Amino acid sequence: MTAAAFAETHEVKMLNKGETGSMVFEPAYVAAEPGDTVTFVSVDKGHNAEGIKGMLPDGVTPFKSKMSKDFSLVVEAEGLYGIKCTPHYGMGMVALIQVGEAVNLDAASAVKQRGKAKKRFVEIFAQVK
């Protein structure tokens, strides 16, 4: 059996209104393993998923999905992946994927955030193991 045979798919919904407020990814924190897939599901239109500069593990190519489209990201590198919805970033529409060990925790948590994203990331980073 290959590692891919054991890979999991994690679903993250892109929502106008969720359990934790408006303009959210649910869940906002995902614990994954290398080789897993994280699929961002466009439940409500007008959202996307984009990697935040400085909040991706070394060697990970920056990414930005199309608006209002589902997007799957295969996470290979260990570390933290900071995600934002481009138009709703200032409204706090952010998420964090932890793949294996949080090897880039210091760099990722040092990235300056704006608006409500700053407060949301404090809550999300509290879940990092």
Side-chain angles (χ1 to χ4, degrees):
M1 285 278 223
T2 64
F6 295 105
E8 280 189 58
T9 298
H10 306 270
E11 188 175 287
V12 177
K13 295 176 182 165
M14 298 185 281
L15 302 168
N16 291 340
K17 187 147 186 62
E19 292 175 23
T20 57
S22 49
M23 304 304 166
V24 293
F25 289 105
E26 278 188 2
Y29 172 80
V30 173
E33 292 299 324
D36 285 0
T37 299
V38 179
T39 299
F40 294 86
V41 180
S42 182
V43 176
D44 296 318
K45 302 290 181 220
H47 302 294
N48 74 334
E50 178 182 0
I52 298 173
K53 187 176 180 181
M55 292 184 75
L56 296 174
D58 287 342
V60 172
T61 305
F63 57 88
K64 181 177 181 179
S65 73
K66 293 191 181 335
M67 289 298 226
S68 304
K69 299 284 184 199
D70 292 358
F71 173 70
S72 290
L73 176 68
V74 177
V75 291
E76 299 287 353
E78 276 202 326
L80 298 172
Y81 294 65
I83 314 290
K84 67 181 177 182
C85 171
T86 310
H88 302 116
Y89 175 43
M91 296 174 78
M93 191 165 177
V94 293
L96 192 67
I97 302 167
Q98 179 177 349
V99 180
E101 296 295 316
V103 295
N104 60 334
L105 177 60
D106 291 343
S109 58
V111 172
K112 293 262 188 270
Q113 304 297 336
R114 61 178 205 210
K116 289 184 180 175
K118 183 186 280 187
K119 181 177 182 282
R120 282 236 174 108
F121 265 129
V122 169
E123 297 162 3
I124 299 168
F125 270 105
Q127 298 177 64
V128 173
K129 296 164 185 65

